[in-house]
Amino acid sequence: ILWKDVYHRYVPLVKRCGKREELDDVLKLMASEVSALHVFVYGGEYASPLHGSVALDTLSEVGSLGAMLRWSSEWNGYEVVSVFEHDLDFGLVDGVAMYSPLSEQTVRMSGQHGLEAGDVIIGVNGESVATVPDIHMLLRGTAGRSVRLEVLRVSSGSSSLRHSRAVVESNDTVDVDAEMKSSEETDIKVQSEPLIVVPITGQEADKLRYASWECKTRQAAKSLAAKADFTVGYIHLQSMSGAKSIDSFVRGFYPDYDKQALIIDVRHNTGGNIDSWLLDVLQRRAWMYWQGRATNITTGGIGWDEQFAFRGHIVVLMNEHTSSDGEGFSRGMSELGLGKLVGTRTWGGGIWLSSDNKLVDGGIATAPEIGQYNDNFGWGMGIEMMGVTPDVVVDNDPREAYDGKDEQLEKAIEILKDWLKEEPVVLPREPGPYRDNSMTDKLNCPAKK
């Protein structure tokens, strides 16, 4: 690339830029001349209508209740479809509590009870949700602040209400107290009650929703494996960046290192640089086994050496959003013969970078810097501009995925079931009683007579 020519080609566009964001567009066009991935333009001094004020930003941000809601004309309010919950074994994730404002874990310390799927929210801070186009209009600026909800406990209330079908009478007036007072069925009344909660930010809600999906996928993997009569561990890695990603692997791997199979899910992985550490852990091999007088690996004993070596079969789940080091890890699993790849072709970023070429205002226009190769693939490892192609291609249907069906996960379970039939993962047989090395036979030696 003749960079001087590229420079002179784009300089006239710089003179026409009216704001920092337009300069980003020019930098992106210029950087695209490299024809490589891992080229990003971001950061810098952008004009902000809020002038960097945290207070103004908080006022404008919409608080979240950490749940999926849908309008119910039957109840004249917002029905709780699901409350986002992560793995309850980990109350703190990377030192941060992750609970929905509506969950039992959040509100029970204040003597209240959380909501469940089927419960209905009919008011926020004394105003009916029916008076606004969307409930979130009543949640602006509420993140981190106490909010009073008026709720109908259809599911979490008494057993007589759980299977009832009640109808909230619509009210044409704006008398909120009257509207929230009760909802009527033919022979019963569902009385509303207050619930004090503290909404979270949209960013916190995104993390909670993601953690909830991860938890449900792990539960689904273990349930499907149990039906197929084998044990499985499940690890999802959202990225490969630093301590948080290492913690995610540790939380998922070590409790299940002794299972017959392992699913490592790098779908939507945004990359990082811990692939070598992960591959190092997964390459450990058991070469001898420990047996105590009363315990072994199945009864609480030490197990084997190398300690925590995984002895089973591994499937890696990947998709078009698996990027950067997520791709490097997937390629490493394949090249080292550690597992099978299932999903769709990945993003295609195989030239690494250091992200140290900052611009004068703190922004950056990253440059791919470090190539990779081996004898099998040559430059780019078959990743750059191509992506890693899985051993078994399975593309989740978007509609079915939204409804909770995961074809890629189901295929992984199917592959592992067949794999275990062909190559069972079992503990080696005990060698039996140890040979007698006592001197008993030596004392009766014929040579002494």
Side-chain angles (χ1 to χ4, degrees):
I1 300 174
L2 300 176
W3 282 109
K4 286 186 178 181
D5 292 346
V6 172
Y7 170 78
H8 290 297
R9 189 184 314 149
Y10 288 99
V11 162
L13 295 178
V14 175
K15 297 177 181 178
R16 300 176 61 180
C17 292
K19 55 183 179 179
R20 183 63 173 78
E21 289 83 352
E22 292 178 353
L23 178 60
D24 275 356
D25 292 338
V26 176
L27 291 174
K28 290 174 185 177
L29 291 171
M30 186 174 178
S32 68
E33 299 280 348
V34 178
S35 295
L37 297 182
H38 277 132
V39 176
F40 310 114
V41 176
Y42 58 89
E45 297 178 350
Y46 299 118
S48 170
L50 303 179
H51 308 291
S53 170
V54 176
L56 291 175
D57 186 53
T58 302
L59 287 173
S60 301
E61 185 172 22
V62 177
S64 172
L65 297 176
M68 183 179 293
L69 309 174
R70 67 182 173 199
W71 174 255
S72 171
S73 55
E74 182 180 20
W75 291 101
N76 206 30
Y78 283 88
E79 180 183 355
V80 177
V81 178
S82 64
V83 177
F84 304 143
E85 291 184 333
H86 67 92
D87 192 335
L88 297 181
D89 288 336
F90 298 99
L92 296 178
V93 178
D94 298 317
V96 179
M98 294 183 66
Y99 293 114
S100 165
L102 303 182
S103 70
E104 182 72 15
Q105 289 76 14
T106 303
V107 301
R108 65 184 176 188
M109 296 300 291
S110 60
Q112 304 180 102
H113 295 288
L115 298 186
E116 299 177 2
D119 290 336
V120 181
I121 301 172
I122 60 174
V124 178
N125 283 339
E127 186 170 352
S128 170
V129 297
T131 63
V132 292
D134 189 278
I135 186 175
H136 293 94
M137 296 183 68
L138 302 177
L139 294 173
R140 287 187 60 183
T142 60
R145 302 179 180 182
S146 295
V147 168
R148 172 180 169 135
L149 304 179
E150 293 293 336
V151 300
L152 300 174
R153 293 187 177 275
V154 180
S155 295
S156 60
S158 63
S159 58
S160 63
L161 300 180
R162 291 186 181 182
H163 303 289
S164 67
R165 298 189 62 205
V167 177
V168 178
E169 293 184 339
S170 59
N171 197 332
D172 295 331
T173 68
V174 195
D175 187 348
V176 177
D177 292 334
E179 188 172 38
M180 293 180 180
K181 186 176 181 182
S182 67
S183 60
E184 298 180 358
E185 198 190 19
T186 53
D187 55 350
I188 65 171
K189 288 187 177 182
V190 182
Q191 200 72 28
S192 68
E193 64 178 72
L195 177 66
I196 308 300
V197 300
V198 179
I200 56 180
T201 66
Q203 185 177 21
E204 291 170 333
D206 289 343
K207 292 180 180 179
L208 181 60
R209 181 193 291 262
Y210 199 108
S212 177
W213 169 83
E214 180 182 344
C215 181
K216 289 179 180 179
T217 306
R218 179 183 294 107
Q219 292 171 348
K222 290 182 176 292
S223 175
L224 290 169
K227 292 178 181 178
D229 198 26
F230 68 91
T231 59
V232 69
Y234 171 89
I235 305 168
H236 176 72
L237 296 174
Q238 188 173 356
S239 78
M240 299 284 188
S241 297
K244 289 186 177 181
S245 297
I246 293 174
D247 289 347
S248 293
F249 180 82
V250 168
R251 285 194 296 266
F253 178 76
Y254 288 101
D256 287 333
Y257 81 96
D258 57 347
K259 298 297 188 289
Q260 294 170 290
L262 179 65
I263 296 173
I264 303 178
D265 191 346
V266 292
R267 293 176 294 183
H268 307 284
N269 188 287
T270 57
N273 59 1
I274 66 169
D275 65 293
S276 59
W277 177 75
L278 297 177
L279 295 172
D280 179 54
V281 172
L282 296 173
Q283 286 184 90
R284 294 168 66 87
R285 290 292 177 263
W287 63 276
M288 68 90 158
Y289 299 81
W290 301 94
Q291 171 72 56
R293 292 184 180 274
T295 61
N296 58 25
I297 185 60
T298 64
T299 57
I302 297 177
W304 48 77
D305 191 2
E306 300 173 357
Q307 282 87 355
F308 300 107
F310 183 72
R311 301 174 54 252
H313 302 309
I314 303 176
V315 165
V316 176
L317 293 179
M318 50 198 270
N319 65 6
E320 64 276 13
H321 299 295
T322 303
S323 61
S324 192
D325 199 35
E327 299 175 278
F329 169 75
S330 301
R331 179 63 81 203
M333 290 292 295
S334 179
E335 286 292 280
L336 295 171
L338 298 177
K340 298 180 180 179
L341 311 181
V342 175
T344 57
R345 184 166 60 90
T346 62
W347 177 61
I351 303 176
W352 288 41
L353 70 167
S354 60
S355 297
D356 59 0
N357 51 320
K358 296 285 186 178
L359 303 178
V360 292
D361 67 347
I364 190 172
T366 64
E369 303 167 58
I370 309 165
Q372 53 181 329
Y373 66 93
N374 70 0
D375 291 335
N376 189 16
F377 286 97
W379 285 111
M381 295 296 298
I383 299 175
E384 179 62 30
M385 302 295 288
M386 298 171 64
V388 179
T389 301
D391 300 313
V392 180
V393 177
V394 181
D395 193 0
N396 278 351
D397 179 88
R399 177 69 245 186
E400 293 181 345
Y402 178 82
D403 292 333
K405 182 177 176 61
D406 192 337
E407 294 183 60
Q408 293 168 337
L409 180 66
E410 293 173 0
K411 189 63 177 180
I413 295 295
E414 179 185 330
I415 290 172
L416 289 169
K417 179 181 178 181
D418 294 339
W419 199 351
L420 285 165
K421 286 182 179 179
E422 298 173 4
E423 302 176 30
V425 177
V426 296
L427 290 170
R429 295 179 58 184
E430 297 178 12
Y434 191 67
R435 66 179 184 274
D436 187 357
N437 285 336
S438 68
M439 297 297 292
T440 304
D441 292 340
K442 305 298 186 292
L443 295 176
N444 298 322
C445 180
K448 294 181 63 177
K449 297 180 179 179

